[in-house]
Amino acid sequence: AMACGCIVLSSNSALLNFIPQPLRDLLTIDANDSRSAVLKAKMIFEKSEKERETIRHALREVVIHNHSQISWAQNLNQLL
């Protein structure tokens, strides 16, 4: 979803390790608290279109730099 420019909310701490601050705080939800997700979604929708576009771009960059085939190949080469 992030590669397509979608803003994601997540309770997955492994994913959140890749997301820079302050986005990590904005996009983190408590898996056991649905109200947390609602509040975070509301916070995102209340941002300006420009701010949301900045978030989308930052999340896409996370995917490009950490999950692309090139980065996987570079990580594999480092392991070998």
Side-chain angles (χ1 to χ4, degrees):
M2 289 174 16
C4 296
C6 295
I7 298 174
V8 298
L9 297 176
S10 180
S11 64
N12 183 331
S13 60
L15 169 66
L16 295 170
N17 289 332
F18 292 100
I19 298 175
Q21 282 292 13
L23 290 180
R24 189 177 307 145
D25 290 337
L26 176 65
L27 303 176
T28 303
I29 60 171
D30 181 343
N32 299 311
D33 180 9
S34 60
R35 191 164 194 264
S36 154
V38 170
L39 292 174
K40 294 292 176 101
K42 184 178 178 188
M43 289 171 63
I44 292 167
F45 283 114
E46 289 175 344
K47 293 193 173 296
S48 70
E49 181 58 35
K50 183 177 180 179
E51 290 172 311
R52 289 193 306 269
E53 184 57 37
T54 299
I55 294 169
R56 288 185 194 100
H57 179 74
L59 294 176
R60 181 161 165 66
E61 288 297 310
V62 166
V63 174
I64 290 169
H65 292 294
N66 295 305
H67 299 287
S68 68
Q69 290 178 350
I70 293 170
S71 69
W72 282 54
Q74 290 170 342
N75 290 336
L76 182 60
N77 281 337
Q78 290 175 355
L79 293 173
L80 300 177

